[in-house]
Amino acid sequence: MRSNMINDLRKPYGKHLVRRLSGLKDYFADAQAVRRILSKSDPIIYEVYEYDAPKKEEHLTFATTILYPGKIGRQSYFTKGHFHYRPDAAEVIVGIAGAGLVLLQDRHKRFETHPLKPQALIYSRPGRAHRVVNNSKRKLVFLSVCRADVRHDYETILKKGFKHINQ
Ligand code: S6P
Ligand code: ZN
């Protein structure tokens, strides 16, 4: 991003990450379905465009995620989901296109779900892990904003799991 303005958040900017099933295989519950799909192809589950902010507390970082529709067994495609290592780092998630769900969970497994759709804003309070699920038939696009010095804790979700939503 060269200027301080983005005209259309649905278009590419910043760092581009592509998350395929092979990188998410341990997150989905149905290992057989994962193996069956991977024997034929390695579908893209989601892509992220992330503003490359200086990793300093005075900066914010933001990212646009495009989460594709699809299923692995009975589970709809979802983002890995993570806690922030800083327990005081909150996040805002805003719907841009399509519809889905935001799952929020704290370290005591207290769990909430919120519908995500264009113009909906979900506040992931400090100490909450967040995962987004695309349970629709269309692309789901959303923006996330948080402080730029956060690091993501994926390990806890991988080991202890998120409450599953099969739909
Ligand atoms: C970052 C924010 C998002 C996610 C992105 C992908 O704090 O929550 O930009 O990184 O939606 O999800 P995940 O769980 O693979 O990082
Ligand atoms: Zn986050």
Side-chain angles (χ1 to χ4, degrees), residues 39-59:
S39 71
K40 294 180 200 139
S41 65
D42 189 3
I44 297 177
I45 310 292
Y46 56 101
E47 295 183 67
V48 184
Y49 293 98
E50 193 189 316
Y51 174 56
D52 200 9
K55 306 237 173 305
K56 295 185 172 170
E57 63 178 314
E58 66 270 30
H59 282 272

PDB file of all heavy atoms in Angstrom, residues 39-59:
ATOM      1  N   SER A  39      -6.251 -36.152  -1.670  1.00  0.00           N
ATOM      2  CA  SER A  39      -5.734 -37.112  -2.657  1.00  0.00           C
ATOM      3  C   SER A  39      -6.031 -36.630  -4.079  1.00  0.00           C
ATOM      4  O   SER A  39      -5.436 -37.098  -5.041  1.00  0.00           O
ATOM      5  CB  SER A  39      -6.327 -38.500  -2.415  1.00  0.00           C
ATOM      6  OG  SER A  39      -7.693 -38.482  -2.777  1.00  0.00           O
ATOM      7  N   LYS A  40      -6.974 -35.687  -4.206  1.00  0.00           N
ATOM      8  CA  LYS A  40      -7.327 -35.181  -5.545  1.00  0.00           C
ATOM      9  C   LYS A  40      -6.825 -33.771  -5.787  1.00  0.00           C
ATOM     10  O   LYS A  40      -6.411 -33.412  -6.865  1.00  0.00           O
ATOM     11  CB  LYS A  40      -8.851 -35.189  -5.716  1.00  0.00           C
ATOM     12  CG  LYS A  40      -9.422 -36.597  -5.714  1.00  0.00           C
ATOM     13  CD  LYS A  40     -10.935 -36.556  -5.895  1.00  0.00           C
ATOM     14  CE  LYS A  40     -11.574 -37.840  -5.434  1.00  0.00           C
ATOM     15  NZ  LYS A  40     -12.800 -37.630  -4.700  1.00  0.00           N
ATOM     16  N   SER A  41      -6.919 -32.900  -4.754  1.00  0.00           N
ATOM     17  CA  SER A  41      -6.531 -31.493  -4.934  1.00  0.00           C
ATOM     18  C   SER A  41      -6.269 -30.872  -3.564  1.00  0.00           C
ATOM     19  O   SER A  41      -6.530 -31.506  -2.537  1.00  0.00           O
ATOM     20  CB  SER A  41      -7.663 -30.723  -5.624  1.00  0.00           C
ATOM     21  OG  SER A  41      -8.786 -30.691  -4.755  1.00  0.00           O
ATOM     22  N   ASP A  42      -5.779 -29.645  -3.593  1.00  0.00           N
ATOM     23  CA  ASP A  42      -5.490 -28.938  -2.332  1.00  0.00           C
ATOM     24  C   ASP A  42      -6.206 -27.586  -2.378  1.00  0.00           C
ATOM     25  O   ASP A  42      -5.607 -26.564  -2.717  1.00  0.00           O
ATOM     26  CB  ASP A  42      -3.971 -28.773  -2.198  1.00  0.00           C
ATOM     27  CG  ASP A  42      -3.571 -28.257  -0.820  1.00  0.00           C
ATOM     28  OD1 ASP A  42      -4.463 -28.090   0.038  1.00  0.00           O
ATOM     29  OD2 ASP A  42      -2.365 -28.009  -0.615  1.00  0.00           O
ATOM     30  N   PRO A  43      -7.530 -27.583  -2.092  1.00  0.00           N
ATOM     31  CA  PRO A  43      -8.298 -26.346  -2.309  1.00  0.00           C
ATOM     32  C   PRO A  43      -7.856 -25.193  -1.415  1.00  0.00           C
ATOM     33  O   PRO A  43      -7.401 -25.404  -0.289  1.00  0.00           O
ATOM     34  CB  PRO A  43      -9.739 -26.770  -1.966  1.00  0.00           C
ATOM     35  CG  PRO A  43      -9.619 -27.977  -1.111  1.00  0.00           C
ATOM     36  CD  PRO A  43      -8.354 -28.670  -1.520  1.00  0.00           C
ATOM     37  N   ILE A  44      -8.017 -23.987  -1.945  1.00  0.00           N
ATOM     38  CA  ILE A  44      -7.787 -22.780  -1.146  1.00  0.00           C
ATOM     39  C   ILE A  44      -8.986 -22.612  -0.226  1.00  0.00           C
ATOM     40  O   ILE A  44     -10.129 -22.588  -0.690  1.00  0.00           O
ATOM     41  CB  ILE A  44      -7.616 -21.537  -2.038  1.00  0.00           C
ATOM     42  CG1 ILE A  44      -6.370 -21.684  -2.920  1.00  0.00           C
ATOM     43  CG2 ILE A  44      -7.503 -20.273  -1.184  1.00  0.00           C
ATOM     44  CD1 ILE A  44      -6.164 -20.522  -3.893  1.00  0.00           C
ATOM     45  N   ILE A  45      -8.742 -22.505   1.063  1.00  0.00           N
ATOM     46  CA  ILE A  45      -9.832 -22.294   2.026  1.00  0.00           C
ATOM     47  C   ILE A  45     -10.037 -20.780   2.216  1.00  0.00           C
ATOM     48  O   ILE A  45     -11.161 -20.317   2.219  1.00  0.00           O
ATOM     49  CB  ILE A  45      -9.527 -22.971   3.383  1.00  0.00           C
ATOM     50  CG1 ILE A  45      -9.092 -24.441   3.198  1.00  0.00           C
ATOM     51  CG2 ILE A  45     -10.724 -22.863   4.337  1.00  0.00           C
ATOM     52  CD1 ILE A  45     -10.163 -25.382   2.698  1.00  0.00           C
ATOM     53  N   TYR A  46      -8.937 -20.043   2.379  1.00  0.00           N
ATOM     54  CA  TYR A  46      -9.066 -18.581   2.456  1.00  0.00           C
ATOM     55  C   TYR A  46      -7.780 -17.893   2.043  1.00  0.00           C
ATOM     56  O   TYR A  46      -6.719 -18.503   1.995  1.00  0.00           O
ATOM     57  CB  TYR A  46      -9.514 -18.110   3.836  1.00  0.00           C
ATOM     58  CG  TYR A  46      -8.683 -18.517   5.041  1.00  0.00           C
ATOM     59  CD1 TYR A  46      -7.781 -17.626   5.629  1.00  0.00           C
ATOM     60  CD2 TYR A  46      -8.844 -19.765   5.626  1.00  0.00           C
ATOM     61  CE1 TYR A  46      -7.059 -17.979   6.767  1.00  0.00           C
ATOM     62  CE2 TYR A  46      -8.120 -20.129   6.757  1.00  0.00           C
ATOM     63  CZ  TYR A  46      -7.232 -19.235   7.315  1.00  0.00           C
ATOM     64  OH  TYR A  46      -6.509 -19.599   8.439  1.00  0.00           O
ATOM     65  N   GLU A  47      -7.940 -16.602   1.714  1.00  0.00           N
ATOM     66  CA  GLU A  47      -6.792 -15.751   1.386  1.00  0.00           C
ATOM     67  C   GLU A  47      -6.859 -14.516   2.273  1.00  0.00           C
ATOM     68  O   GLU A  47      -7.954 -14.073   2.628  1.00  0.00           O
ATOM     69  CB  GLU A  47      -6.871 -15.285  -0.068  1.00  0.00           C
ATOM     70  CG  GLU A  47      -6.766 -16.423  -1.061  1.00  0.00           C
ATOM     71  CD  GLU A  47      -6.784 -15.895  -2.494  1.00  0.00           C
ATOM     72  OE1 GLU A  47      -5.840 -15.210  -2.892  1.00  0.00           O
ATOM     73  OE2 GLU A  47      -7.776 -16.173  -3.189  1.00  0.00           O
ATOM     74  N   VAL A  48      -5.689 -13.987   2.603  1.00  0.00           N
ATOM     75  CA  VAL A  48      -5.639 -12.796   3.458  1.00  0.00           C
ATOM     76  C   VAL A  48      -4.749 -11.743   2.794  1.00  0.00           C
ATOM     77  O   VAL A  48      -3.666 -12.071   2.295  1.00  0.00           O
ATOM     78  CB  VAL A  48      -5.063 -13.142   4.856  1.00  0.00           C
ATOM     79  CG1 VAL A  48      -5.112 -11.929   5.783  1.00  0.00           C
ATOM     80  CG2 VAL A  48      -5.785 -14.327   5.497  1.00  0.00           C
ATOM     81  N   TYR A  49      -5.207 -10.504   2.777  1.00  0.00           N
ATOM     82  CA  TYR A  49      -4.375  -9.359   2.383  1.00  0.00           C
ATOM     83  C   TYR A  49      -4.151  -8.537   3.637  1.00  0.00           C
ATOM     84  O   TYR A  49      -5.110  -8.086   4.269  1.00  0.00           O
ATOM     85  CB  TYR A  49      -5.067  -8.517   1.295  1.00  0.00           C
ATOM     86  CG  TYR A  49      -5.188  -9.285   0.001  1.00  0.00           C
ATOM     87  CD1 TYR A  49      -6.375  -9.939  -0.322  1.00  0.00           C
ATOM     88  CD2 TYR A  49      -4.110  -9.393  -0.872  1.00  0.00           C
ATOM     89  CE1 TYR A  49      -6.482 -10.684  -1.501  1.00  0.00           C
ATOM     90  CE2 TYR A  49      -4.213 -10.137  -2.048  1.00  0.00           C
ATOM     91  CZ  TYR A  49      -5.393 -10.769  -2.351  1.00  0.00           C
ATOM     92  OH  TYR A  49      -5.490 -11.510  -3.508  1.00  0.00           O
ATOM     93  N   GLU A  50      -2.902  -8.393   4.009  1.00  0.00           N
ATOM     94  CA  GLU A  50      -2.599  -7.765   5.305  1.00  0.00           C
ATOM     95  C   GLU A  50      -1.719  -6.537   5.146  1.00  0.00           C
ATOM     96  O   GLU A  50      -0.665  -6.613   4.492  1.00  0.00           O
ATOM     97  CB  GLU A  50      -1.889  -8.808   6.173  1.00  0.00           C
ATOM     98  CG  GLU A  50      -1.780  -8.423   7.619  1.00  0.00           C
ATOM     99  CD  GLU A  50      -0.887  -9.396   8.380  1.00  0.00           C
ATOM    100  OE1 GLU A  50      -1.018 -10.623   8.177  1.00  0.00           O
ATOM    101  OE2 GLU A  50      -0.045  -8.905   9.145  1.00  0.00           O
ATOM    102  N   TYR A  51      -2.130  -5.449   5.709  1.00  0.00           N
ATOM    103  CA  TYR A  51      -1.340  -4.224   5.706  1.00  0.00           C
ATOM    104  C   TYR A  51      -0.056  -4.473   6.477  1.00  0.00           C
ATOM    105  O   TYR A  51      -0.086  -5.037   7.584  1.00  0.00           O
ATOM    106  CB  TYR A  51      -2.155  -3.099   6.356  1.00  0.00           C
ATOM    107  CG  TYR A  51      -1.393  -1.803   6.543  1.00  0.00           C
ATOM    108  CD1 TYR A  51      -0.799  -1.169   5.463  1.00  0.00           C
ATOM    109  CD2 TYR A  51      -1.285  -1.226   7.804  1.00  0.00           C
ATOM    110  CE1 TYR A  51      -0.104   0.013   5.629  1.00  0.00           C
ATOM    111  CE2 TYR A  51      -0.600  -0.035   7.976  1.00  0.00           C
ATOM    112  CZ  TYR A  51      -0.007   0.573   6.891  1.00  0.00           C
ATOM    113  OH  TYR A  51       0.684   1.730   7.067  1.00  0.00           O
ATOM    114  N   ASP A  52       1.078  -4.089   5.893  1.00  0.00           N
ATOM    115  CA  ASP A  52       2.370  -4.384   6.502  1.00  0.00           C
ATOM    116  C   ASP A  52       2.772  -3.246   7.444  1.00  0.00           C
ATOM    117  O   ASP A  52       3.674  -2.476   7.156  1.00  0.00           O
ATOM    118  CB  ASP A  52       3.395  -4.578   5.370  1.00  0.00           C
ATOM    119  CG  ASP A  52       4.605  -5.349   5.845  1.00  0.00           C
ATOM    120  OD1 ASP A  52       4.566  -5.871   6.979  1.00  0.00           O
ATOM    121  OD2 ASP A  52       5.591  -5.414   5.089  1.00  0.00           O
ATOM    122  N   ALA A  53       2.110  -3.171   8.583  1.00  0.00           N
ATOM    123  CA  ALA A  53       2.358  -2.073   9.528  1.00  0.00           C
ATOM    124  C   ALA A  53       3.620  -2.349  10.343  1.00  0.00           C
ATOM    125  O   ALA A  53       3.933  -3.513  10.602  1.00  0.00           O
ATOM    126  CB  ALA A  53       1.174  -1.945  10.476  1.00  0.00           C
ATOM    127  N   PRO A  54       4.341  -1.303  10.790  1.00  0.00           N
ATOM    128  CA  PRO A  54       5.444  -1.532  11.726  1.00  0.00           C
ATOM    129  C   PRO A  54       4.895  -2.219  12.976  1.00  0.00           C
ATOM    130  O   PRO A  54       3.825  -1.840  13.467  1.00  0.00           O
ATOM    131  CB  PRO A  54       5.924  -0.110  12.044  1.00  0.00           C
ATOM    132  CG  PRO A  54       5.385   0.744  10.949  1.00  0.00           C
ATOM    133  CD  PRO A  54       4.126   0.096  10.473  1.00  0.00           C
ATOM    134  N   LYS A  55       5.596  -3.258  13.470  1.00  0.00           N
ATOM    135  CA  LYS A  55       5.061  -4.058  14.587  1.00  0.00           C
ATOM    136  C   LYS A  55       5.276  -3.333  15.911  1.00  0.00           C
ATOM    137  O   LYS A  55       6.025  -3.776  16.776  1.00  0.00           O
ATOM    138  CB  LYS A  55       5.719  -5.438  14.617  1.00  0.00           C
ATOM    139  CG  LYS A  55       5.614  -6.169  13.285  1.00  0.00           C
ATOM    140  CD  LYS A  55       4.938  -7.516  13.401  1.00  0.00           C
ATOM    141  CE  LYS A  55       4.681  -8.187  12.072  1.00  0.00           C
ATOM    142  NZ  LYS A  55       3.927  -7.434  11.069  1.00  0.00           N
ATOM    143  N   LYS A  56       4.686  -2.177  16.032  1.00  0.00           N
ATOM    144  CA  LYS A  56       4.860  -1.317  17.209  1.00  0.00           C
ATOM    145  C   LYS A  56       3.511  -0.983  17.802  1.00  0.00           C
ATOM    146  O   LYS A  56       2.524  -0.883  17.073  1.00  0.00           O
ATOM    147  CB  LYS A  56       5.578  -0.038  16.808  1.00  0.00           C
ATOM    148  CG  LYS A  56       6.996  -0.301  16.346  1.00  0.00           C
ATOM    149  CD  LYS A  56       7.711   0.995  16.079  1.00  0.00           C
ATOM    150  CE  LYS A  56       9.181   0.710  15.800  1.00  0.00           C
ATOM    151  NZ  LYS A  56       9.880   1.899  15.316  1.00  0.00           N
ATOM    152  N   GLU A  57       3.507  -0.760  19.124  1.00  0.00           N
ATOM    153  CA  GLU A  57       2.226  -0.598  19.810  1.00  0.00           C
ATOM    154  C   GLU A  57       1.427   0.618  19.348  1.00  0.00           C
ATOM    155  O   GLU A  57       0.198   0.617  19.437  1.00  0.00           O
ATOM    156  CB  GLU A  57       2.418  -0.557  21.335  1.00  0.00           C
ATOM    157  CG  GLU A  57       3.235   0.595  21.812  1.00  0.00           C
ATOM    158  CD  GLU A  57       3.343   0.588  23.342  1.00  0.00           C
ATOM    159  OE1 GLU A  57       2.312   0.406  23.998  1.00  0.00           O
ATOM    160  OE2 GLU A  57       4.456   0.780  23.843  1.00  0.00           O
ATOM    161  N   GLU A  58       2.123   1.631  18.832  1.00  0.00           N
ATOM    162  CA  GLU A  58       1.374   2.817  18.419  1.00  0.00           C
ATOM    163  C   GLU A  58       0.687   2.636  17.066  1.00  0.00           C
ATOM    164  O   GLU A  58      -0.101   3.477  16.647  1.00  0.00           O
ATOM    165  CB  GLU A  58       2.270   4.065  18.419  1.00  0.00           C
ATOM    166  CG  GLU A  58       3.391   4.073  17.393  1.00  0.00           C
ATOM    167  CD  GLU A  58       4.696   3.471  17.916  1.00  0.00           C
ATOM    168  OE1 GLU A  58       4.645   2.581  18.774  1.00  0.00           O
ATOM    169  OE2 GLU A  58       5.763   3.896  17.424  1.00  0.00           O
ATOM    170  N   HIS A  59       0.988   1.536  16.378  1.00  0.00           N
ATOM    171  CA  HIS A  59       0.376   1.297  15.078  1.00  0.00           C
ATOM    172  C   HIS A  59      -0.788   0.312  15.167  1.00  0.00           C
ATOM    173  O   HIS A  59      -0.839  -0.518  16.066  1.00  0.00           O
ATOM    174  CB  HIS A  59       1.405   0.726  14.099  1.00  0.00           C
ATOM    175  CG  HIS A  59       2.321   1.764  13.558  1.00  0.00           C
ATOM    176  ND1 HIS A  59       2.033   2.492  12.431  1.00  0.00           N
ATOM    177  CD2 HIS A  59       3.521   2.209  14.006  1.00  0.00           C
ATOM    178  CE1 HIS A  59       3.012   3.343  12.204  1.00  0.00           C
ATOM    179  NE2 HIS A  59       3.939   3.196  13.144  1.00  0.00           N
TER     180      HIS A  59
END
